[in-house]
Amino acid sequence: MIDVLVVDDDYRVAEINAKYVGKVPGFRVTARAHSAAQALAAVERGSIDLVLLDHYLPDGTGLELVHRMRQHGHSADVIMITAAGDVTTVQQAMRLGALHYLVKPFTFAALRGRLDSYAALRRTMERVGGRQVTGQEQVDRIFGALRTAPAPSVPGLPSGHSEPTNELICEVLHHADHPLSAHEVAAQTGLSRSTAQRYLRRLEQSGRLRLSLKYGDTGRPEHRYAWVSP
């Protein structure tokens, strides 16, 4: 089994990512962390093979954490899972040795593709062991193990929608004790209001949410959404 540490400052996102990892054969989540300090402590306790790492953490960045891990002699592999999509952060991640870089929001299929390629890399390295590689072909096989095929779209979700984002919004509404507006959902998930509204509208149309209107003194009524229990 490949032991995984999931690092994300959002507890709900960390839980969703952990559930995804648990669906992939050969992988298990042995720890979760919501800050750089918690993540470093988990790595120092040992038995971590792979870190799924968010970049934006309350006490530093994911890349700063990777740098500290290497300084302390920890060799756990890293796959970045983050909303940071700027070229500078991607380049720094590559230079620090991140094996993959997955931009949020993403699908389960996209994450599974990265995990499967990582498992293939480990199998290839184990076959080589401590022996000298025999030539360029074997080196190419090692590097080629990290290639991933394009992830298929999630069945049932329209283009532009992702399964993790959909599940995150469902989690928020499911645990809410009163109907929420798109603005409140956006604040709790870290999404933009327009993105939250798009997912809420689809969930309401599919019957998973109930729409109600809240009228104020002036202006248009506010749309509010509540979870519909099965």
Side-chain angles (χ1 to χ4, degrees):
M1 295 293 289
I2 296 173
D3 292 332
V4 180
L5 165 64
V6 174
V7 184
D8 199 291
D9 66 321
D10 190 308
Y11 284 73
R12 293 182 298 272
V13 173
E15 184 63 26
I16 290 172
N17 291 349
K19 288 180 179 178
Y20 280 175
V21 173
K23 295 180 180 180
V24 182
F27 290 82
R28 64 185 175 193
V29 174
T30 57
R32 296 174 182 79
H34 308 292
S35 68
Q38 291 177 1
L40 186 59
V43 171
E44 289 181 337
R45 287 194 293 268
S47 301
I48 299 295
D49 300 308
L50 175 65
V51 182
L52 300 186
L53 181 60
D54 188 16
H55 183 58
Y56 299 118
L57 300 172
D59 54 347
T61 68
L63 295 182
E64 290 170 347
L65 171 61
V66 177
H67 184 65
R68 288 201 296 271
M69 285 169 51
R70 302 308 182 227
Q71 283 184 321
H72 292 190
H74 300 304
S75 59
D77 294 313
V78 174
I79 294 177
M80 298 295 295
I81 299 182
T82 176
D86 59 283
V87 174
T88 300
T89 303
V90 174
Q91 287 179 331
Q92 290 176 343
M94 292 173 63
R95 289 166 182 161
L96 285 170
L99 297 181
H100 277 300
Y101 196 106
L102 196 56
V103 179
K104 298 177 180 177
F106 58 91
T107 64
F108 167 64
L111 176 59
R112 176 163 189 165
R114 271 67 178 180
L115 294 179
D116 284 343
S117 71
Y118 174 71
L121 172 66
R122 287 176 64 94
R123 289 193 297 270
T124 302
M125 296 299 293
E126 287 169 2
R127 284 196 294 269
V128 175
R131 296 180 287 107
Q132 180 76 23
V133 294
T134 58
Q136 186 64 47
E137 182 180 352
Q138 196 168 41
V139 172
D140 290 343
R141 191 176 301 117
I142 292 172
F143 278 88
L146 282 173
R147 297 195 186 104
T148 58
S153 59
V154 179
L157 286 180
S159 176
H161 286 65
S162 78
E163 187 177 354
T165 303
N166 197 66
E167 289 195 13
L168 178 58
I169 290 177
C170 288
E171 283 281 324
V172 169
L173 269 297
H174 182 64
H175 291 98
D177 56 6
H178 62 277
L180 300 178
S181 67
H183 177 76
E184 291 170 325
V185 171
Q188 292 192 39
T189 58
L191 301 169
S192 68
R193 186 185 182 281
S194 61
T195 298
Q197 183 66 64
R198 182 157 47 92
Y199 280 83
L200 290 167
R201 187 180 300 113
R202 181 187 174 276
L203 288 166
E204 186 267 327
Q205 291 171 348
S206 67
R208 299 183 69 180
L209 299 180
R210 182 178 64 255
L211 172 64
S212 61
L213 300 178
K214 180 181 179 181
Y215 291 89
D217 296 331
T218 59
R220 299 173 58 186
E222 182 181 53
H223 289 200
R224 302 184 70 82
Y225 299 86
W227 184 257
V228 176
S229 298

